[in-house]
Amino acid sequence: MQNEVTKPISRKQVMALFENKPLEFSPGTKWNYSNSGYVLLGFIIEDITHTTYYAAARKMIFEPLQMTHTGFDFTHLAGKEKAIGYMRITAEVQTPAPIVDSSVSYSAGAIYTTTGDLYKWYQSLKNNKIISAASFNLAATPVLNKYGFGLVIDSVSGVRRISHGGGIHGFTTNISMIPGEDICIILLNNGSNSFLEAITESIYSILYNKPYEIPKERTAIAIDEETLKQYEGEYELSPGFVLTVKNKAGKLMVQATGQPEFEVFAEKTDLFFLKVIDAQLQFKRDAQNKVESLVLFQNGREMPGKKIK
């Protein structure tokens, strides 16, 4: 997914990526999301149906539900309605994303679709058109970590909520539903950012008369370079995950382990925000006024990081 996403890959090549690797834990004892697990499910579908995963999905789901704007092979899809995905998009910079070949993302995320077609999918689940009520309830029963069979299950205002998000180069998605009250929220975004979960939560707050905030544009202020240098360093948020902060010619740059470098902008002294994603950094100082840690605010979570270098 890092370097070869645009090139077709064979089943044998995909399997070779993970088939001989050790399990992270004994089956049934823990849970962790696994793209490889979903890919393996796709191969199982092919073995059972004696056809391709793509053909099986069309025959069993897309065609019966008349999901006419849904399919595979986004690379060769033609038409003016086709969206362009962006790895980075701001007022100053627009970086188109490479299109991931369907054989690479496969049954872990190769489907292109629309909000309208996903609403047909929701209606099929609510009205038991594709699978029975018993099967849907089984899928929507949490096993570990609020996860069922490809579904995240939690609650809002005391009622069961069923959701799942996704992301691939240049695109993010979120679908969340409360079938018992006929509520379905579908959000698709042609940018590699994490806004959708927060927007979904705000919509639920509106629906259930809970407090919410209207998004507002943050205004950047100037910070002198001597102060910017005080923030430089490495901050460990978790084992193996570090934020590296550098001052580059009066710009404060932040790079997370394995991710691109981005500029952060000062909202006030010690508080910075990113423009490419909805995230903020709050730097913390000790009794001697030296920066000793930070807190990353993202997706409704607060992740502290101690300065290690």
Side-chain angles (χ1 to χ4, degrees), residues 173-194:
T173 65
N174 199 37
I175 178 169
S176 183
M177 63 188 84
I178 302 177
E181 299 191 6
D182 199 17
I183 293 173
C184 181
I185 300 169
I186 300 165
L187 302 173
L188 306 181
N189 179 26
N190 59 328
S192 294
N193 55 51
S194 55

Side-chain angles (χ1 to χ4, degrees), residues 17-51:
L17 295 174
F18 63 87
E19 63 181 343
N20 293 318
K21 291 191 175 181
L23 297 176
E24 291 186 17
F25 44 78
S26 298
T29 61
K30 297 180 182 180
W31 176 89
N32 193 12
Y33 183 86
S34 171
N35 280 324
S36 300
Y38 275 97
V39 166
L40 194 59
L41 285 173
F43 293 148
I44 292 171
I45 289 171
E46 292 191 337
D47 289 349
I48 291 173
T49 61
H50 303 292
T51 186

Side-chain angles (χ1 to χ4, degrees), residues 81-96:
E81 296 175 339
K82 180 178 178 179
I84 297 173
Y86 292 91
M87 295 298 290
R88 185 181 181 188
I89 182 165
T90 67
E92 298 81 20
V93 180
Q94 300 85 39
T95 307

Side-chain angles (χ1 to χ4, degrees), residues 4 22 36 39 42 45-46 77 79 86 98 100 108 129-130 216 221 229 240 256 277 286:
E4 305 290 327
S36 300
V39 166
I45 289 171
E46 292 191 337
L77 178 67
Y86 292 91
V100 179
K129 290 182 178 180
I130 295 294
K216 60 181 180 181
I221 64 170
K229 291 180 180 178
I277 60 172
D286 60 17

Side-chain angles (χ1 to χ4, degrees), residues 33-306:
Y33 183 86
S34 171
N35 280 324
S36 300
Y38 275 97
V39 166
L40 194 59
L41 285 173
F43 293 148
I44 292 171
I45 289 171
E46 292 191 337
D47 289 349
I48 291 173
T49 61
H50 303 292
T51 186
T52 65
Y53 162 70
Y54 313 115
R58 291 189 192 97
K59 181 179 179 180
M60 297 178 180
I61 301 175
F62 305 161
E63 292 174 2
L65 299 182
Q66 298 183 343
M67 295 172 67
T68 55
H69 293 87
T70 301
F72 301 96
D73 195 15
F74 193 62
T75 299
H76 298 103
L77 178 67
K80 63 181 181 180
E81 296 175 339
K82 180 178 178 179
I84 297 173
Y86 292 91
M87 295 298 290
R88 185 181 181 188
I89 182 165
T90 67
E92 298 81 20
V93 180
Q94 300 85 39
T95 307
I99 297 178
V100 179
D101 189 84
S102 290
S103 64
V104 176
S105 48
Y106 189 56
S107 50
I111 298 171
Y112 67 80
T113 189
T114 63
T115 53
D117 273 10
L118 280 178
Y119 187 67
K120 293 177 181 178
W121 166 246
Y122 157 72
Q123 291 282 357
S124 78
L125 294 176
K126 184 171 72 77
N127 298 314
N128 314 125
K129 290 182 178 180
I130 295 294
I131 60 174
S132 67
S135 291
F136 182 46
N137 284 330
L138 183 61
T141 299
V143 180
L144 288 171
N145 290 64
K146 300 181 179 180
Y147 206 83
F149 297 161
L151 298 168
V152 178
I153 305 98
D154 58 7
S155 63
V156 57
S157 293
V159 294
R160 183 175 65 166
R161 173 171 62 178
I162 303 165
S163 310
H164 211 293
I168 203 165
H169 296 52
F171 296 92
T172 49
T173 65
N174 199 37
I175 178 169
S176 183
M177 63 188 84
I178 302 177
E181 299 191 6
D182 199 17
I183 293 173
C184 181
I185 300 169
I186 300 165
L187 302 173
L188 306 181
N189 179 26
N190 59 328
S192 294
N193 55 51
S194 55
F195 300 145
L196 300 191
E197 186 175 336
I199 295 172
T200 299
E201 292 300 326
S202 293
I203 293 173
Y204 274 119
S205 294
I206 294 170
L207 292 173
Y208 286 96
N209 297 311
K210 292 184 176 182
Y212 63 92
E213 292 185 5
I214 298 294
K216 60 181 180 181
E217 185 175 1
R218 297 179 183 272
T219 303
I221 64 170
I223 298 287
D224 64 88
E225 194 162 354
E226 192 61 36
T227 301
L228 292 180
K229 291 180 180 178
Q230 297 174 14
Y231 304 120
E232 290 187 312
E234 296 181 4
Y235 302 80
E236 186 177 51
L237 276 68
S238 62
F241 187 71
V242 174
L243 290 183
T244 301
V245 180
K246 296 179 180 180
N247 169 46
K248 292 187 176 181
K251 294 182 179 181
L252 199 65
M253 309 299 294
V254 175
Q255 185 172 23
T257 302
Q259 298 181 21
E261 185 179 61
F262 297 113
E263 183 179 1
V264 292
F265 301 84
E267 187 169 1
K268 57 184 180 181
T269 302
D270 296 346
L271 179 61
F272 290 75
F273 64 94
L274 282 82
K275 292 184 178 181
V276 292
I277 60 172
D278 185 17
Q280 299 82 46
L281 290 177
Q282 175 76 62
F283 291 93
K284 303 287 186 178
R285 297 177 181 269
D286 60 17
Q288 287 72 44
N289 202 37
K290 292 184 178 181
V291 177
E292 63 174 359
S293 63
L294 59 72
V295 179
L296 171 64
F297 298 91
Q298 188 174 359
N299 294 332
R301 295 183 296 167
E302 298 182 15
M303 293 168 277
K306 185 178 181 180

